[in-house]
Each structure stands twice: as C-alpha cells, then as structure tokens.
C-alpha cells in the first residue's frame, strides 16, 4: 500500500515545476481538480499545498481565471495588528496604561494628509503610554476627529483610544506604515531610553467612508520586534 | 427603479451590525446566500463586501464553518515584499547594486537560530549595497547555506543574492521581522548617514523543508517607509 500523498509533497512538486520553468511566469497552471487527478491525491490536498504558495506570492489566484504564475514574484507577509493591551497580554506580561495629555489642537499637515482631512481643523490630540510589566512598551500619539460618534462618552483616562476606537467606530479604509525614527526628548523620557534611540514606528490612519476617524503614531520602546511567519 | 445595491453599502450594513452588537463576538453570521437574499443583492456583492472586512480582521472566514465574528478583533495588514530591484523600479528610480564583500565565515548565533541551523557552521556571508538613482537605498547583510543547489554558478558581483535566491531556490517556510536599529559605523558609511541614525531593519530567514537556506538583514537608509492599505 502506498503512503498517502501529503500536501507538503504536492507543494514541493509545485515548487519544482516553478523552479524548472515548467510553469512559466504569466501562464495559468492546471486547476486543482486536474492536479489532484494527475498527482493521485484529494483536491483538498492540492488546495492546501497551493494556498501557502499563493500567500507567499509565488502563485496568483483569481476568482475567475484560475491560478497563474505571477510575472514578477512578490512575496507577501501578513501581520496581525492586535489591540496593544492584548499584544502585551499575549507576551505573558501585565499591561498598563497611562494618559499623558489630552487637548483639542489644530491637525498637523502629515496627519491631515494621511486621513484626507483638513489641515488645521480642531482634532482631539492624545498622548498615552502603554506599559508591559510596569516598563514602557509603546507611546501612542493620536489624533481623533471630534465628530466621531460616541466620543463624548469616552474616558481616555481609563481606556486607551486604541481600544475604544476598535470597539466603537466603523472602519472602511486606512493605511499603515512602518519606519524607524529617533526618540525625541519627550519620547525618550516616556520610554525611558536615550534621546535619539532608534524606535520602530507604526503609523496608521483610518476613515469611515467620507469621514476621517483617526491618525496615530505608535513609538515602540527600543529593541521591539514585530515578527510573522512567511 | 431602485439604484443597484453596492458592495460599499453592504459593507456599511455589516459594520453597523458588528458595531450594534447584532453580530456578536464568537457567533457565526448568516452565510453569503442568505445575506444576499435578505439585502436584495447579488451573492458576489456580499462576497466583495465581506472580503475586505475579513482581510482587516473584523470577520473570520473558515473553509468549513462559515464566517464568524472573532472573539478578539485583530486587524491584519498584508505587505508585499518585492525583489529590491523591482521595488526601486516601482518607485520610478533607477536601481543600482554593488557587492561590498563576500567570504565564507562561521554562522553567528542569531542567524543560526533564525534558520534553525548550526551556529558556527561555515556559511557564505555577503554584504551588498542597493542604490536608487545612485543614492544608497538599502544594505543587504546576508548568510547563505553553501550547500544550496546551484550556488557555485552564482555571480554576486553582477546579480544580488536577493534576486538570485528568488529565482533559484525552493521556499517552504520562513520568518520575517521588523525592527529599528542604530546605524553602525560601517552601515553609516555605506548608507551615507550619521552613525547611530535610526534604520528600518527587516530580517528574513528561509528554509526549504529540512534545509536552512538564507538569513538576511536589510538596513534601509534613514527616512524609508514601508506602507500598505488596510
């Protein structure tokens, strides 16, 4: 009796064909049912094998039009962006939160551009610190549209804007960016690090249809790494 | 005649139900056919509306078991990781490449751990610089398993290891990480920036089944941003 064909061996065979140029860039590969017949395995095995290759950008799946070899290989990586408190808990640490200041201020140009809002418009500006086991984890520098429904009832002394927004606002589209920035004196004091220390910085902006909602910069304490499997 | 129901309006309705708690965390939502009947639109319109919410982590789709509201909302962001040369070309800039040095050296601990390889094993170590319009774009500090098939025929003076590996090696699993690091004196000289300048740093490691292939650290010149839509 032959041992059953695993998805790993189907994936290896698909990679061999890609590498050998049997499946060429731009061309459509056989469909799942055809590959399953050819390789003598279940269609679900083929599906499992190709799913990862597609997620990694080595194959392109289209709703109609089947699966193709991309013209230029683009690997893809998916990062999960949890609520900061849950991220800290997932690391087995005890989360803490402190609101540093809160004021209505004119929206700076960079944040206005990110949200497609009017620069200079009065927005709620928050600076807060997230802690893990009582040590600085990440500073949250956030702007919120004052017309966001329900905002009047929010108490950012006790609940971070990060968490309030996930639970209370609509979401339609947004952008996220990664960069490295040098700690300003204020951030260095908050994060308990040297001035100019390199900080992994995540910027996010979100809109709900026509309405800008929020723009945030998260500055992670030195040494922070964001990781995912490919 | 009523105007046709758009996927945007279906998405807004789904968000309204999520926000109002009509669709509760952990619960299964109606399937696409049912929603299409209820809302009076095509099933493909519902599919289009829910796809983005799932990509953003607001809904969880399972192969069997339908679509659920996740217990803890986790937004997801997918980044494309193109070949560095193609990334530079996509920015409308002219790519350049320079091999700085190449030697066989004992594999450091961090890279060994990342690839699940033996620390101290002889690996090929490359340092190269990628340029955009003749200006430093990114430094590539890479370790390659000398047993990688075809490696003897590779000429890293003319083709970057980044590009050679994408075209010539199998890929089974790997990891990617983002961090901010301070420029070492050597990197500062290569990237034409101040020592200790904050550099967005991407680490990647790949394996092909049981075989470690490569571990790389990409140090991007100051100011580099990696962006994606949510």
């Amino acid at each position: 009796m032959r041992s059953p064909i695993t998805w790993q061996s189907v994936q290896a065979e698909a990679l061999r064909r890609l590498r050998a140029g049997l499946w060429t860039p731009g061309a459509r590969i056989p469909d799942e049912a055809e590959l399953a017949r050819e390789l003598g395995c279940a269609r679900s095995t083929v599906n499992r094998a190709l799913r990862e290759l597609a997620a990694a950008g080595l194959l392109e799946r289209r709703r109609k039009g089947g699966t193709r070899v991309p013209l230029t290989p683009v690997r893809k990586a998916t990062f999960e962006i949890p609520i900061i408190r849950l991220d800290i808990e997932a690391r087995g640490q005890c989360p803490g939160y402190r609101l540093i200041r809160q004021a209505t201020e004119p929206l700076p140009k960079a944040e206005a551009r990110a949200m497609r809002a009017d620069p200079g418009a009065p927005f709620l500006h928050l600076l807060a610190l997230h802690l893990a086991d009582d040590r600085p984890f990440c500073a949250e520098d956030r702007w919120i549209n004052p017309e966001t429904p329900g905002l009047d009832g929010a108490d950012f002394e006790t609940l971070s804007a990060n968490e309030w927004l996930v639970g209370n606002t609509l979401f339609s589209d947004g952008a996220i960016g990664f960069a490295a920035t040098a700690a300003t004196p204020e951030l260095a004091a908050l994060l308990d690090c040297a001035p100019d220390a390199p900080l992994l910085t995540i910027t996010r902006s979100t809109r709900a249809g026509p309405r800008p909602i929020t723009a945030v910069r998260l500055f992670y304490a030195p040494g922070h790494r964001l990781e995912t499997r490919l």
Side-chain angles (χ1 to χ4, degrees), chain A:
Chain A
M1 193 177 107
R2 287 197 312 166
S3 55
I5 289 167
T6 62
W7 68 264
Q8 287 92 342
S9 64
V10 173
Q11 189 180 71
E13 173 60 18
L15 279 164
R16 191 190 68 77
R17 293 182 186 190
L18 284 168
R19 189 179 166 201
L22 299 170
W23 290 350
T24 55
R28 186 167 166 167
I29 71 165
D31 67 26
E32 288 181 5
E34 208 174 322
L35 281 170
R37 268 196 308 277
E38 187 199 335
L39 301 172
C41 66
R43 191 176 152 165
S44 61
T45 306
V46 174
N47 181 281
R48 177 74 185 81
L50 300 188
R51 204 192 314 157
E52 277 199 351
L53 298 180
L58 296 176
L59 291 174
E60 248 173 24
R61 302 176 113 172
R62 300 184 188 169
R63 258 173 69 78
K64 289 166 190 172
T67 298
R68 286 171 191 276
V69 182
L71 283 169
T72 53
V74 174
R75 300 251 166 109
K76 288 180 185 172
T78 299
F79 287 88
E80 297 197 340
I81 306 169
I83 292 174
I84 296 165
R85 180 177 59 80
L86 300 177
D87 187 10
I88 294 167
E89 286 175 352
R91 291 161 190 262
Q93 297 185 294
C94 176
Y97 165 78
R98 222 164 68 212
L99 179 66
I100 307 298
R101 51 189 160 79
Q102 168 172 359
T104 298
E105 295 174 7
L107 188 65
K109 276 184 192 165
E111 279 75 9
R113 197 168 39 239
M115 280 185 282
R116 284 177 280 142
D118 296 325
F123 263 59
L124 182 62
H125 185 201
L126 301 164
L127 182 65
L129 181 66
H130 296 267
L131 301 114
D133 284 348
D134 291 326
R135 291 175 54 190
F137 180 77
C138 150
E140 177 179 352
D141 184 346
R142 183 182 293 274
W143 297 81
I144 305 177
N145 187 342
E147 289 165 22
T148 302
L151 190 60
D152 286 346
D155 175 9
F156 297 122
E157 293 279 352
T158 54
L159 185 71
S160 78
N162 171 255
E163 197 155 348
W164 184 83
L165 285 159
V166 169
N168 289 275
T169 55
L170 302 178
F171 166 87
S172 69
D173 66 307
I176 184 164
F178 287 2
T181 58
T184 60
E186 182 177 34
L187 286 171
L190 272 181
L191 295 173
D192 194 17
C193 65
D196 295 329
L199 307 179
L200 179 63
T201 306
I202 303 185
T203 57
R204 280 157 69 181
S205 56
T206 32
R207 293 169 55 86
R211 192 205 309 268
I213 303 177
T214 189
V216 65
R217 283 182 295 167
L218 300 172
F219 299 95
Y220 286 86
H224 187 83
R225 282 176 59 82
L226 188 70
E227 289 194 310
T228 192
R229 305 296 307 168
L230 274 181

